[in-house]
Amino acid sequence: LAPLPPCPPASCLPSSMSVAATTTFKHVVRPSLQAVVSIYTVGKVRKEETGSSPRSFNFGPFRFQIPGGDEESAPQPRRALGSGVIVREDGLVITNNHVVALADEIKVVLVDGRSFDAKVIVKDPDCDLAALRFIKTSKNAHMFKKKFPKIEMGRGDECEVGDVCLAIGNNLGLQGTVTQGIISAVGRFMKKELPAKIVAPLIQTSASINPGSSGGALVNMDGKLIGINTAIVTPSGGNVGLAFAVPANYITAVLAAVDLKEEKIRRPFIGITLGKPEWPNKGIRVHGIMRNGPAEKAGIKAKDILAKFNGNEIRDSDRFLMQIALQSIGSKIKLTVKRGGESLDYDLEVGEWKPPSEKLMVIKDEGNPLEGCTLGEMAPSLNAKFGIEANKTGVIVVKVARGSSASGLFLPGDHIRNIGEVMIRTLEDISKAIDKIHASKPSMIKIRVARRAVLIEFRVRIGQRSKL
């Protein structure tokens, strides 16, 4: 038999095999650990949280109850803990917004023992991120002479399922805790499962994250920050391997606000809503185009397939959204789309996302056939909630109150097309149509609505108009 060929050296193995075979992660942990901080906050307790319940106090991460006590004693301060990551050499810390949202006092402790009072300078509740700045005083000025340790920024969109990663944080008050896992999924939208409504697609990891880990670092095997640990999903209250991090891409907008000394987050957008293409097409299907948005101005149309971003193949909508989050407002990008067998290139200028204010009307008039309805003018943000194309306009039913005149007739998402002979385009048209009806005093009125692909006509009796 021929002898077996010698095994190749570790340096020749694929990086994934090298990582799997390694017996230590200290080359990643040592520099990263120095830049992960513990955050301790104190906030006031709301009145409704005090009363006859037993008094309690915190010792580190543990909470102790003292039976009895004076019900009228002063409320105890709320104490909480979390983690943060130093991302710049001047000591700028990124953490979760929920860690500091209710804080009146913030103390940040580094692993080398240095501690600083800190203040929030930027908040991004939509992505559950916040930026903290150390407070410099005459007593601690000497601590600012040297540069602070920092973690190099990475990208969440470059993560692959199966990649090894490390979570570093203040788990249960145990500073500098490091846990290891893999990337379980990229692009999880967890609006229902998590208490905080995060609009960003999250990174899922099996690395253990517990109370106190929020705001800590999720790093890859290059020691780069790929996410900010934010939450877990658990049936028991403890970690079961379902942890989530905000991709590092979304820190870009926070850092831009810090540099501009603005509290408001300016978020890049290109003005499209996305969907999946039909098999076997690859890329992303353009579900809708926002009027006067960058995509419409460039010439992109609904039902186009987005194939490439700046010359690179687009794999899925979640990574594409993360890539857009990295772009500067006003910068140029190139999108390659497929339309009817053709491949077309479009140059876009990245715009600034400005959430439209939703125009709503609540009908309380008992004489109104729509009594009990909350109506809204179609806009991209409202349309998205009901699966309607972004650029569609008109008036839809947002909510119907139980036991109201409209209950049993109209459903949320119904598009009101006509009231009597009046075509409805805006909420103002609703008011005009109802005023016209009561002026002519008919006993019955026709209301036409579009419910999905079906046009329905209701014949509704008109009662006496309420004076309220």
Side-chain angles (χ1 to χ4, degrees), residues 49-57 63-71 73 76:
E49 296 182 40
T50 63
S52 59
S53 59
R55 290 180 298 163
S56 62
F57 70 93
R63 188 174 184 84
F64 294 87
Q65 302 286 345
I66 304 178
D70 184 3
E71 295 183 10
S73 60
Q76 298 298 308

Side-chain angles (χ1 to χ4, degrees), residues 422-435:
V422 179
M423 185 176 291
I424 303 301
R425 296 185 180 87
T426 65
L427 292 176
E428 189 176 350
D429 292 335
I430 295 282
S431 300
K432 290 179 179 178
I434 297 301
D435 286 339

Side-chain angles (χ1 to χ4, degrees), residues 1-140:
L1 295 175
L4 293 174
C7 294
S11 59
C12 297
L13 293 174
S15 59
S16 58
M17 293 179 65
S18 300
V19 169
T22 188
T23 59
T24 179
F25 299 109
K26 62 185 179 183
H27 64 288
V28 177
V29 173
R30 282 178 177 173
S32 301
L33 191 62
Q34 302 301 313
V36 178
V37 302
S38 297
I39 297 176
Y40 300 90
T41 67
V42 179
K44 296 177 181 177
V45 179
R46 298 189 299 270
K47 288 184 179 180
E48 59 266 27
E49 296 182 40
T50 63
S52 59
S53 59
R55 290 180 298 163
S56 62
F57 70 93
N58 292 77
F59 183 79
F62 305 105
R63 188 174 184 84
F64 294 87
Q65 302 286 345
I66 304 178
D70 184 3
E71 295 183 10
E72 306 213 351
S73 60
Q76 298 298 308
R78 179 203 301 271
R79 299 182 185 277
L81 55 85
S83 306
V85 183
I86 300 176
V87 296
R88 288 183 174 175
E89 292 176 338
D90 62 358
L92 184 72
V93 174
I94 297 295
T95 185
N96 285 141
N97 181 64
H98 77 259
V99 170
V100 295
L102 301 177
D104 296 312
E105 301 174 20
I106 302 171
K107 183 175 288 294
V108 177
V109 180
L110 281 68
V111 293
D112 62 12
R114 286 179 292 173
S115 66
F116 301 89
D117 291 333
K119 60 181 179 180
V120 180
I121 55 174
V122 174
K123 288 184 178 181
D124 184 3
D126 290 338
C127 292
D128 196 21
L129 295 173
L132 310 182
R133 181 77 75 189
F134 298 150
I135 298 175
K136 189 175 183 180
T137 66
S138 57
K139 293 183 178 180
N140 67 14

